[in-house]
Amino acid sequence: MNLDGRVREVATVMHVRCPQGVPEETYRQVLEMLADLSAVVQALPPVAALVELKGALRYHGAGGRQLAETARLRSVARLGVDLRIGVGTSWTVAATASAQAPVPGGIVSVDPETTAQWLGTLDVEALHGIGPRHAAVLSRYGIDTVAQLAAVSTGTVQRILGARAGRTASEWARGWDPRPVTPRSMPVSASVGTRFERDLLDGAEVRARLLELVVRLGITLRCRGQAARAVTLQLHFAGDARWEKSRRLRAPSAHEDDLRTAAYQLMDAAGLQRGRLRGISLKGEDTVVAGAVAEQLSLDPSREARLVMEETADRVRAKFGPDAIGPASAALRAS
């Protein structure tokens, strides 16, 4: 206990960042490795995770930094992936710390007794959860550091940012974040994407690329034993502009038939004319366990035939590799 009689606060949250662009299967392996250290791991796809250390500290008889060092060492040794890890008393502190860790890997552990002092030295935009837009608004009022944000009354920050955003920003600046680490071993979304070698206009080549993503997304979901309730399409334009839109599926699915229909509808909804595309991303969201989805019998013999072909293609890929079979448009483009 501290001298004033309060129970000493302990850093019990670990925030882990994999390198950007890490393959999804490797990310899942990192999650499994973290689960060996703690029973409470929350996946934050596509590259991050939260780990609750309360029970792990007692079980392993080690401190938060020691467990972070163990996680990093195991990840490098087993997977060849270095990690950026932050350890703190809350989600916000740990995530802010991991962002300050060196690239490609390192650990920043924030002592509970110096949390406020450590946060106070950072620019306000470095505080996890404060985006560039809110940081710009705060800067117009002379609030450029986390220390300045913490010193301003919550009511004042609420008048600047709005009631909800102002309250949470004030709490985070003081190192307080009541959000628990919620066990989530399987990502609730699956994402695939591609960048183009040159800027493209919407046309046959873009549609071929989109079909490739549909196939990759379907394979990813089926390998995980998941089905998506919604599909999100994101278009990346020249100049770093983005367009994003989602569509709910009639029923959760991992079948290319359903994913393709939704993806093409989203592309049509974009209404592209002369926009120069740099890349596209496709995401299956709000996933559920595929085994829990009731399969509806179809009266469409063409669809049933395509589903049989999908199963056959999956068996071919399992035996000969993921590139053994794919859309004809991809083979034509490669040739």
Side-chain angles (χ1 to χ4, degrees), residues 163-200:
R164 183 177 180 181
R167 183 182 68 254
T168 54
S170 288
E171 292 172 349
W172 293 342
R174 297 177 174 92
W176 189 72
D177 185 347
R179 291 177 296 174
V181 179
T182 304
R184 186 184 295 157
S185 59
M186 183 177 289
V188 296
S189 66
S191 181
V192 293
T194 185
R195 303 288 290 187
F196 304 147
E197 296 81 10
R198 66 184 191 284
D199 295 349
L200 297 176

Side-chain angles (χ1 to χ4, degrees), residues 168-252:
T168 54
S170 288
E171 292 172 349
W172 293 342
R174 297 177 174 92
W176 189 72
D177 185 347
R179 291 177 296 174
V181 179
T182 304
R184 186 184 295 157
S185 59
M186 183 177 289
V188 296
S189 66
S191 181
V192 293
T194 185
R195 303 288 290 187
F196 304 147
E197 296 81 10
R198 66 184 191 284
D199 295 349
L200 297 176
L201 300 176
D202 184 21
E205 186 169 356
V206 171
R207 298 289 170 143
R209 296 290 192 97
L210 181 58
L211 180 57
E212 291 176 36
L213 293 186
V214 166
V215 173
R216 285 170 52 194
L217 179 60
I219 293 170
T220 299
L221 290 169
R222 293 192 299 275
C223 287
R224 285 187 186 177
Q226 290 179 304
R229 290 194 179 101
V231 172
T232 296
L233 175 66
Q234 188 176 81
L235 306 179
H236 306 262
F237 296 95
D240 294 329
R242 293 184 181 183
W243 179 93
E244 181 176 295
K245 192 174 182 63
S246 299
R247 181 176 291 271
R248 301 287 294 185
L249 302 178
R250 289 188 297 177

Side-chain angles (χ1 to χ4, degrees), residues 27-231:
Y27 170 64
R28 290 174 60 80
Q29 291 173 330
V30 170
L31 294 178
E32 293 168 0
M33 181 270 299
L34 294 173
D36 291 337
L37 289 177
S38 171
V40 186
V41 178
Q42 180 174 346
L44 300 173
V47 298
L50 277 173
V51 184
E52 175 58 71
L53 298 177
K54 286 180 182 176
L57 295 175
R58 293 191 294 270
Y59 181 82
H60 295 284
R65 185 179 183 89
Q66 289 175 292
L67 292 181
E69 290 170 347
T70 299
R72 186 182 173 210
L73 179 62
R74 289 181 180 179
S75 181
V76 171
R78 298 177 185 178
L79 307 174
V81 175
D82 207 346
L83 304 174
R84 300 167 69 200
I85 302 177
V87 181
T89 55
S90 69
W91 179 331
T92 295
V93 175
T96 301
S98 67
Q100 300 300 310
V103 177
I107 298 169
V108 174
S109 182
V110 183
D111 191 294
E113 296 179 353
T114 60
T115 294
Q117 180 182 349
W118 181 81
L119 287 173
T121 63
L122 302 174
D123 291 339
V124 72
E125 192 173 345
L127 184 64
H128 184 76
I130 302 293
R133 185 172 64 87
H134 282 159
V137 173
L138 291 168
S139 182
R140 289 201 294 269
Y141 287 85
I143 302 173
D144 297 306
T145 67
V146 177
Q148 291 171 330
L149 178 58
V152 176
S153 70
T154 300
T156 299
V157 181
Q158 286 180 307
R159 285 191 290 273
I160 296 173
L161 298 180
R164 183 177 180 181
R167 183 182 68 254
T168 54
S170 288
E171 292 172 349
W172 293 342
R174 297 177 174 92
W176 189 72
D177 185 347
R179 291 177 296 174
V181 179
T182 304
R184 186 184 295 157
S185 59
M186 183 177 289
V188 296
S189 66
S191 181
V192 293
T194 185
R195 303 288 290 187
F196 304 147
E197 296 81 10
R198 66 184 191 284
D199 295 349
L200 297 176
L201 300 176
D202 184 21
E205 186 169 356
V206 171
R207 298 289 170 143
R209 296 290 192 97
L210 181 58
L211 180 57
E212 291 176 36
L213 293 186
V214 166
V215 173
R216 285 170 52 194
L217 179 60
I219 293 170
T220 299
L221 290 169
R222 293 192 299 275
C223 287
R224 285 187 186 177
Q226 290 179 304
R229 290 194 179 101
V231 172

